[in-house]
């Protein structure tokens, strides 16, 4: 789906628009064809740049294009394209009739973004807005799979499971075989679309952390949750940071707190680069972001997938959960599924066949949680 030379960085957090904009402008200033993409409803990137929303990629400066996802128009167009690839039973649903289900629009926006990547960009900076919205979007295919599993069982991969067929709520003979087959195939293709669109070799996330105690607490949930749902996290960004001031100034207390939080973030995630985002007034043009963005340019490096699966002879499943707090994490097994709960987020993962029904244990090894036979 993605061109082999294109790297995609998804920025998420309260100041994700500032971080994405600064990075994109600095990248373009170094001569890299760059696309800045806004997937949020308010398109804060456009406000920062003094630009109008762009339903199609539009040139803002040399080597820099800008695109804004339009939820209604793009959702309709993307859905109509997907209908030709995914066969759904029943009467066809037109894109203009599709409801804006929570998370669905952002998931389809990433799919739309992949088509724009064919224009030859070396870097695509994506403002995905708050992490909660991004995480809900990443969970959409899992939710669809869970519903299919409960109703009909899973009869084909990914997630194929003979055990779930036996526990299905509706016997297969209640619906024509062709319709069940179409629904199963739609579920498989939907999951595969997510996996291709978020290819860990090309796509990675950067979490923007607010430099106060509340921002630090939120990061302890969001950082491991992003990797739990399949996104590689290659750096943390903290900011916007106020300039250092002397004692006695009104902002001194805030500056002291942000210094404390910066140190705490560095200590909690020692294996992740920590990039600093300075405070910036709204310039309404691209040029001033070039200087800010230089400190945010972190060259993407190859990363292993955040979720690893062992072999048939040596079965295990390994989850990268950077900085996760023990009290936020719960792991359980239901049938042939591993259920990982992280604060308000939960993901169901199919256990490798060799681990199903066997006594298992979970061992934390640094930032990885590995489940093996007991």
């Amino acid at each position: 789906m993605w061109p082999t030379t294109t790297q995609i960085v998804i920025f998420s957090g309260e100041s994700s628009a500032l971080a994405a904009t600064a990075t994109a402008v600095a990248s373009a200033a170094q001569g890299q064809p760059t696309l800045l993409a806004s997937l949020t409803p308010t398109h804060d990137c456009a406000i920062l740049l003094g630009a109008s929303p762009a339903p199609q990629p539009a040139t803002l400066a040399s080597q820099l294009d800008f695109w804004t996802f339009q939820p209604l128009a793009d959702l309709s167009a993307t859905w109509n394209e997907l209908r030709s690839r995914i066969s759904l039973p029943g009467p066809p649903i037109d894109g203009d009739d599709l409801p804006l289900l929570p998370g669905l629009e952002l998931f389809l926006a990433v799919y739309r973004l992949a088509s724009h990547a064919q224009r030859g960009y070396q870097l695509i900076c994506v403002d995905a807005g708050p992490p909660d919205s991004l995480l809900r979007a990443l969970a959409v295919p899992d939710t669809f799979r869970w519903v299919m599993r409960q109703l009909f069982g899973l009869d084909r991969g990914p997630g194929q499971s003979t055990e779930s067929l036996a526990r299905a709520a509706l016997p297969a003979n209640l619906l024509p075989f062709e319709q069940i087959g179409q629904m199963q195939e739609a579920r498989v293709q939907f999951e595969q679309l997510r996996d291709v669109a978020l290819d860990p070799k090309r796509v990675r996330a950067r979490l923007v952390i607010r430099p106060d105690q509340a921002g630090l607490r939120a990061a302890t949930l969001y950082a491991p949750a992003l990797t739990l749902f399949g996104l590689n996290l290659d750096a943390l960004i903290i900011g916007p940071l106020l300039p250092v001031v002397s004692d006695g100034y009104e902002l001194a207390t805030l500056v002291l707190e942000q210094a404390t939080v910066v140190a705490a973030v560095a200590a909690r995630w020692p294996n992740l680069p920590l990039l600093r985002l300075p405070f910036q007034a709204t310039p309404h043009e691209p040029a001033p972001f070039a200087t800010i963005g230089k400190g945010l340019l972190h060259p993407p490096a190859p990363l292993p997938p955040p979720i690893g699966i062992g072999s048939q002879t040596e079965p295990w499943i390994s989850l990268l959960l950077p900085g996760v707090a023990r009290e936020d994490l719960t792991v359980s097994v239901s049938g042939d599924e591993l259920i990982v709960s992280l604060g308000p987020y939960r993901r169901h993962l199919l256990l490798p066949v060799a681990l199903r029904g066997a006594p298992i244990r979970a061992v934390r090894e640094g930032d990885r949680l590995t489940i093996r036979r007991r």
Side-chain angles (χ1 to χ4, degrees), residues 216-252:
L216 175 61
R217 170 56 187 150
T220 63
L221 288 175
Y222 292 144
L226 287 170
T227 57
L228 175 63
F229 282 92
L231 265 178
N232 262 326
L233 192 64
D234 78 336
L236 299 173
I237 299 172
I238 190 158
L241 295 171
L242 295 168
V244 176
V245 295
S246 302
D247 291 342
Y249 284 83
E250 290 185 6
L251 295 179

Side-chain angles (χ1 to χ4, degrees), residues 8-20:
I8 300 93
V9 180
I10 298 176
F11 295 82
S12 185
E14 288 189 20
S15 297
S16 57
L18 178 57

Side-chain angles (χ1 to χ4, degrees), residues 46 50-55 58 60 66 68:
S52 300
L60 287 183
F66 180 50
T68 53

Side-chain angles (χ1 to χ4, degrees), residues 253-273:
T253 303
L254 293 176
V255 172
L256 177 61
E257 181 183 14
Q258 77 178 18
T260 302
V261 171
V262 169
V265 169
R268 192 176 194 97
W269 290 279
N271 298 321
L272 283 171

Side-chain angles (χ1 to χ4, degrees), residues 151-227:
L151 292 178
F152 306 110
L154 306 178
D155 71 349
R156 64 200 70 185
Q160 183 176 0
S161 170
T162 53
E163 289 87 347
S164 71
L165 290 173
R167 297 195 302 269
L170 298 178
N173 58 10
L174 288 183
L175 287 175
F177 177 78
E178 294 78 9
Q179 286 196 4
I180 293 180
Q182 284 182 321
M183 294 177 71
Q184 293 281 9
E185 190 61 30
R187 189 267 307 170
V188 169
Q189 292 179 2
F190 203 22
E191 287 189 71
Q192 289 174 338
L193 277 175
R194 189 260 311 271
D195 294 340
V196 172
L198 301 179
D199 178 2
K201 295 178 182 178
R202 306 268 174 258
V203 184
R204 65 273 324 280
R206 292 180 188 168
L207 177 64
V208 185
I209 302 172
R210 197 176 72 209
D212 58 23
Q213 293 298 326
L216 175 61
R217 170 56 187 150
T220 63
L221 288 175
Y222 292 144
L226 287 170
T227 57

